[in-house]
Amino acid sequence: DTGVSQDPRHKITKRGQNVTFRCDPISEHNRLYWYRQTLGQGPEFLTYFQNEAQLEKSRLLSDRFSAERPKGSFSTLEIQHTEQGDSAMYLCASSLSGLASDDTQYFGPGTRLTVL
Amino acid sequence: QKEVEQNSGPLSVPEGAIASLNCTYSDRVSQSFFWYRQYSGKSPELIMSIYSNGDKEDGRFTAQLNKASQYVSLLIRDSQPSDSATYLCAVNDVYGQNFVFGPGTRLSVLP
């Protein structure tokens, strides 16, 4: 078990550019979550997948954000036309399932995005 | 809107003391409760999960859950400077569809 991995760890981009982040969950985990965290705040839910199905998406997530998990394994999060307000740490987490006792989420190291 | 509330701190305790961190939640169907520790610039790491009313102990950490009062706490005994971090409370509902984090409490353990 190598844990949750994310790539890249850091990304600096100019306003208006598109960025894509990748997350590889723990191999037997069915659920995969994306969060955004800014300084001094707790992680803010963005979206989650049960296998390849995207089951919920935060109302705070604008149309510029899209996520996929095409084969039920790794996931990508894309942000189009980035804005300075998108600067944050983007966290990925995975869990075995959503049921009590199997719903513990394990986090990757995060991708820190800076939009200039 | 399901909410999880924590005192933002900072909470300062001397080395060797007991640190007490508190969390309240609004959703009565919450089923699963978690404490995560987050060092500055790092991702959250799980300390403990608790699902039943009462106490759960793991080393220097004790989680306490009271579903009637919608309250969960974390006690850290013999606090060490390495415990200085932000502690996040997280709550999940019985359907596994609403995993919500509190804003975190910053703990500072003074040598």
Side-chain angles (χ1 to χ4, degrees):
Chain A
D1 178 3
T2 58
V4 180
S5 62
Q6 292 186 247
D7 184 71
R9 297 289 302 277
H10 303 274
K11 179 69 177 179
I12 300 174
T13 191
K14 293 183 179 179
R15 189 177 54 185
Q17 298 295 305
N18 299 342
V19 294
T20 300
F21 309 141
R22 175 179 170 126
C23 172
D24 287 87
I26 294 172
S27 58
E28 66 269 24
H29 283 189
N30 294 323
R31 285 211 174 180
L32 186 149
Y33 301 80
W34 284 100
Y35 294 89
R36 176 173 60 193
Q37 187 176 27
T38 53
L39 196 63
Q41 302 297 316
E44 175 188 36
F45 170 78
L46 294 178
T47 189
Y48 84 91
F49 293 83
Q50 173 82 24
N51 298 313
E52 67 274 10
Q54 187 173 15
L55 296 187
E56 189 171 344
K57 190 174 174 181
S58 169
R59 286 170 292 176
L60 301 174
L61 209 60
S62 77
D63 291 341
R64 298 184 296 106
F65 288 71
S66 63
E68 294 182 342
R69 194 183 183 197
K71 297 182 179 179
S73 57
F74 74 91
S75 175
T76 58
L77 177 68
E78 181 183 16
I79 309 174
Q80 295 183 327
H81 313 300
T82 52
E83 302 172 355
Q84 288 183 326
D86 297 331
S87 295
M89 174 79 89
Y90 289 83
L91 295 165
C92 175
S94 70
S95 68
L96 192 59
S97 76
L99 301 176
S101 81
D102 287 334
D103 59 346
T104 300
Q105 293 187 20
Y106 297 92
F107 283 83
T111 294
R112 181 164 296 283
L113 173 65
T114 302
V115 182
L116 303 176
Chain B
Q1 176 73 14
K2 298 178 174 64
E3 294 185 347
V4 177
E5 297 185 349
Q6 299 179 253
N7 291 328
S8 61
L11 172 66
S12 295
V13 300
E15 183 175 355
I18 296 176
S20 178
L21 304 162
N22 303 317
C23 172
T24 58
Y25 58 95
S26 63
D27 188 0
R28 287 194 170 274
V29 299
S30 296
Q31 188 73 17
S32 310
F33 306 87
F34 306 88
W35 283 100
Y36 287 84
R37 177 175 61 198
Q38 187 173 28
Y39 293 111
S40 180
K42 302 297 184 182
S43 63
E45 55 180 329
L46 180 73
I47 296 175
M48 190 177 297
S49 60
I50 185 167
Y51 298 91
S52 304
N53 280 327
D55 295 357
K56 180 180 178 182
E57 186 175 320
D58 184 359
R60 295 186 296 112
F61 300 96
T62 298
Q64 298 174 318
L65 174 61
N66 184 326
K67 290 185 180 180
S69 300
Q70 296 177 236
Y71 175 89
V72 58
S73 66
L74 180 70
L75 300 178
I76 307 175
R77 290 182 297 282
D78 189 22
S79 296
Q80 302 297 308
S82 58
D83 294 327
S84 298
T86 295
Y87 289 80
L88 297 164
C89 173
V91 175
N92 198 16
D93 70 13
V94 67
Y95 307 107
Q97 294 180 358
N98 282 289
F99 204 102
V100 179
F101 280 88
T105 297
R106 190 155 54 93
L107 172 67
S108 178
V109 180
L110 307 175

PDB file of all heavy atoms in Angstrom, chain B residues 93-107:
ATOM      1  N   ASP B  93     -22.219  11.485   7.389  1.00  0.00           N
ATOM      2  CA  ASP B  93     -23.580  11.051   7.731  1.00  0.00           C
ATOM      3  C   ASP B  93     -23.743   9.554   7.476  1.00  0.00           C
ATOM      4  O   ASP B  93     -22.853   8.887   6.973  1.00  0.00           O
ATOM      5  CB  ASP B  93     -24.624  11.883   6.991  1.00  0.00           C
ATOM      6  CG  ASP B  93     -24.658  11.605   5.493  1.00  0.00           C
ATOM      7  OD1 ASP B  93     -24.064  10.606   5.027  1.00  0.00           O
ATOM      8  OD2 ASP B  93     -25.287  12.401   4.775  1.00  0.00           O
ATOM      9  N   VAL B  94     -24.895   9.029   7.849  1.00  0.00           N
ATOM     10  CA  VAL B  94     -25.123   7.590   7.812  1.00  0.00           C
ATOM     11  C   VAL B  94     -25.140   7.067   6.376  1.00  0.00           C
ATOM     12  O   VAL B  94     -24.907   5.884   6.134  1.00  0.00           O
ATOM     13  CB  VAL B  94     -26.438   7.240   8.543  1.00  0.00           C
ATOM     14  CG1 VAL B  94     -27.644   7.790   7.784  1.00  0.00           C
ATOM     15  CG2 VAL B  94     -26.558   5.751   8.773  1.00  0.00           C
ATOM     16  N   TYR B  95     -25.375   7.964   5.422  1.00  0.00           N
ATOM     17  CA  TYR B  95     -25.396   7.545   4.016  1.00  0.00           C
ATOM     18  C   TYR B  95     -24.014   7.633   3.379  1.00  0.00           C
ATOM     19  O   TYR B  95     -23.836   7.257   2.225  1.00  0.00           O
ATOM     20  CB  TYR B  95     -26.384   8.415   3.235  1.00  0.00           C
ATOM     21  CG  TYR B  95     -27.755   8.449   3.868  1.00  0.00           C
ATOM     22  CD1 TYR B  95     -28.186   9.597   4.528  1.00  0.00           C
ATOM     23  CD2 TYR B  95     -28.592   7.341   3.833  1.00  0.00           C
ATOM     24  CE1 TYR B  95     -29.436   9.639   5.121  1.00  0.00           C
ATOM     25  CE2 TYR B  95     -29.837   7.379   4.430  1.00  0.00           C
ATOM     26  CZ  TYR B  95     -30.250   8.521   5.071  1.00  0.00           C
ATOM     27  OH  TYR B  95     -31.480   8.562   5.669  1.00  0.00           O
ATOM     28  N   GLY B  96     -23.065   8.144   4.138  1.00  0.00           N
ATOM     29  CA  GLY B  96     -21.709   8.290   3.604  1.00  0.00           C
ATOM     30  C   GLY B  96     -21.604   9.328   2.518  1.00  0.00           C
ATOM     31  O   GLY B  96     -20.723   9.258   1.669  1.00  0.00           O
ATOM     32  N   GLN B  97     -22.492  10.318   2.541  1.00  0.00           N
ATOM     33  CA  GLN B  97     -22.529  11.281   1.444  1.00  0.00           C
ATOM     34  C   GLN B  97     -22.260  12.712   1.873  1.00  0.00           C
ATOM     35  O   GLN B  97     -22.343  13.610   1.049  1.00  0.00           O
ATOM     36  CB  GLN B  97     -23.895  11.201   0.754  1.00  0.00           C
ATOM     37  CG  GLN B  97     -24.122   9.866   0.066  1.00  0.00           C
ATOM     38  CD  GLN B  97     -25.462   9.796  -0.620  1.00  0.00           C
ATOM     39  OE1 GLN B  97     -26.251  10.725  -0.556  1.00  0.00           O
ATOM     40  NE2 GLN B  97     -25.721   8.689  -1.284  1.00  0.00           N
ATOM     41  N   ASN B  98     -21.989  12.907   3.131  1.00  0.00           N
ATOM     42  CA  ASN B  98     -21.756  14.277   3.574  1.00  0.00           C
ATOM     43  C   ASN B  98     -20.592  14.312   4.552  1.00  0.00           C
ATOM     44  O   ASN B  98     -20.782  14.335   5.758  1.00  0.00           O
ATOM     45  CB  ASN B  98     -23.010  14.855   4.230  1.00  0.00           C
ATOM     46  CG  ASN B  98     -24.023  15.289   3.200  1.00  0.00           C
ATOM     47  OD1 ASN B  98     -23.817  16.275   2.500  1.00  0.00           O
ATOM     48  ND2 ASN B  98     -25.093  14.540   3.087  1.00  0.00           N
ATOM     49  N   PHE B  99     -19.416  14.295   4.005  1.00  0.00           N
ATOM     50  CA  PHE B  99     -18.199  14.338   4.812  1.00  0.00           C
ATOM     51  C   PHE B  99     -17.823  15.805   4.938  1.00  0.00           C
ATOM     52  O   PHE B  99     -17.393  16.420   3.976  1.00  0.00           O
ATOM     53  CB  PHE B  99     -17.105  13.537   4.117  1.00  0.00           C
ATOM     54  CG  PHE B  99     -16.039  13.018   5.028  1.00  0.00           C
ATOM     55  CD1 PHE B  99     -16.027  11.700   5.430  1.00  0.00           C
ATOM     56  CD2 PHE B  99     -15.020  13.858   5.476  1.00  0.00           C
ATOM     57  CE1 PHE B  99     -15.033  11.210   6.263  1.00  0.00           C
ATOM     58  CE2 PHE B  99     -14.022  13.373   6.302  1.00  0.00           C
ATOM     59  CZ  PHE B  99     -14.024  12.041   6.701  1.00  0.00           C
ATOM     60  N   VAL B 100     -17.998  16.349   6.140  1.00  0.00           N
ATOM     61  CA  VAL B 100     -17.804  17.780   6.349  1.00  0.00           C
ATOM     62  C   VAL B 100     -16.703  18.014   7.385  1.00  0.00           C
ATOM     63  O   VAL B 100     -16.699  17.376   8.442  1.00  0.00           O
ATOM     64  CB  VAL B 100     -19.111  18.454   6.830  1.00  0.00           C
ATOM     65  CG1 VAL B 100     -18.890  19.947   7.059  1.00  0.00           C
ATOM     66  CG2 VAL B 100     -20.224  18.233   5.811  1.00  0.00           C
ATOM     67  N   PHE B 101     -15.807  18.919   7.078  1.00  0.00           N
ATOM     68  CA  PHE B 101     -14.725  19.291   7.997  1.00  0.00           C
ATOM     69  C   PHE B 101     -15.065  20.570   8.741  1.00  0.00           C
ATOM     70  O   PHE B 101     -15.693  21.478   8.197  1.00  0.00           O
ATOM     71  CB  PHE B 101     -13.428  19.538   7.224  1.00  0.00           C
ATOM     72  CG  PHE B 101     -12.697  18.290   6.850  1.00  0.00           C
ATOM     73  CD1 PHE B 101     -12.984  17.641   5.663  1.00  0.00           C
ATOM     74  CD2 PHE B 101     -11.721  17.770   7.677  1.00  0.00           C
ATOM     75  CE1 PHE B 101     -12.311  16.485   5.310  1.00  0.00           C
ATOM     76  CE2 PHE B 101     -11.039  16.616   7.334  1.00  0.00           C
ATOM     77  CZ  PHE B 101     -11.342  15.970   6.148  1.00  0.00           C
ATOM     78  N   GLY B 102     -14.611  20.649   9.981  1.00  0.00           N
ATOM     79  CA  GLY B 102     -14.625  21.902  10.699  1.00  0.00           C
ATOM     80  C   GLY B 102     -13.457  22.758  10.259  1.00  0.00           C
ATOM     81  O   GLY B 102     -12.591  22.316   9.501  1.00  0.00           O
ATOM     82  N   PRO B 103     -13.397  23.998  10.753  1.00  0.00           N
ATOM     83  CA  PRO B 103     -12.332  24.909  10.347  1.00  0.00           C
ATOM     84  C   PRO B 103     -10.984  24.605  10.980  1.00  0.00           C
ATOM     85  O   PRO B 103      -9.956  25.120  10.535  1.00  0.00           O
ATOM     86  CB  PRO B 103     -12.852  26.274  10.821  1.00  0.00           C
ATOM     87  CG  PRO B 103     -13.754  25.939  11.961  1.00  0.00           C
ATOM     88  CD  PRO B 103     -14.380  24.631  11.618  1.00  0.00           C
ATOM     89  N   GLY B 104     -10.973  23.751  12.011  1.00  0.00           N
ATOM     90  CA  GLY B 104      -9.724  23.386  12.660  1.00  0.00           C
ATOM     91  C   GLY B 104      -9.413  24.239  13.867  1.00  0.00           C
ATOM     92  O   GLY B 104      -9.803  25.409  13.938  1.00  0.00           O
ATOM     93  N   THR B 105      -8.721  23.638  14.832  1.00  0.00           N
ATOM     94  CA  THR B 105      -8.213  24.346  16.015  1.00  0.00           C
ATOM     95  C   THR B 105      -6.708  24.250  16.000  1.00  0.00           C
ATOM     96  O   THR B 105      -6.142  23.151  15.900  1.00  0.00           O
ATOM     97  CB  THR B 105      -8.739  23.717  17.319  1.00  0.00           C
ATOM     98  OG1 THR B 105     -10.157  23.839  17.374  1.00  0.00           O
ATOM     99  CG2 THR B 105      -8.123  24.413  18.529  1.00  0.00           C
ATOM    100  N   ARG B 106      -6.067  25.407  16.087  1.00  0.00           N
ATOM    101  CA  ARG B 106      -4.599  25.416  16.106  1.00  0.00           C
ATOM    102  C   ARG B 106      -4.120  25.223  17.539  1.00  0.00           C
ATOM    103  O   ARG B 106      -4.505  25.956  18.443  1.00  0.00           O
ATOM    104  CB  ARG B 106      -4.095  26.733  15.539  1.00  0.00           C
ATOM    105  CG  ARG B 106      -2.593  26.778  15.279  1.00  0.00           C
ATOM    106  CD  ARG B 106      -2.274  27.814  14.190  1.00  0.00           C
ATOM    107  NE  ARG B 106      -2.806  29.133  14.492  1.00  0.00           N
ATOM    108  CZ  ARG B 106      -2.129  30.078  15.114  1.00  0.00           C
ATOM    109  NH1 ARG B 106      -0.897  29.850  15.522  1.00  0.00           N
ATOM    110  NH2 ARG B 106      -2.675  31.251  15.327  1.00  0.00           N
ATOM    111  N   LEU B 107      -3.294  24.192  17.726  1.00  0.00           N
ATOM    112  CA  LEU B 107      -2.743  23.864  19.036  1.00  0.00           C
ATOM    113  C   LEU B 107      -1.262  24.199  19.065  1.00  0.00           C
ATOM    114  O   LEU B 107      -0.519  23.841  18.142  1.00  0.00           O
ATOM    115  CB  LEU B 107      -2.931  22.367  19.339  1.00  0.00           C
ATOM    116  CG  LEU B 107      -2.241  21.843  20.600  1.00  0.00           C
ATOM    117  CD1 LEU B 107      -2.879  22.458  21.853  1.00  0.00           C
ATOM    118  CD2 LEU B 107      -2.311  20.321  20.666  1.00  0.00           C
TER     119      LEU B 107
END
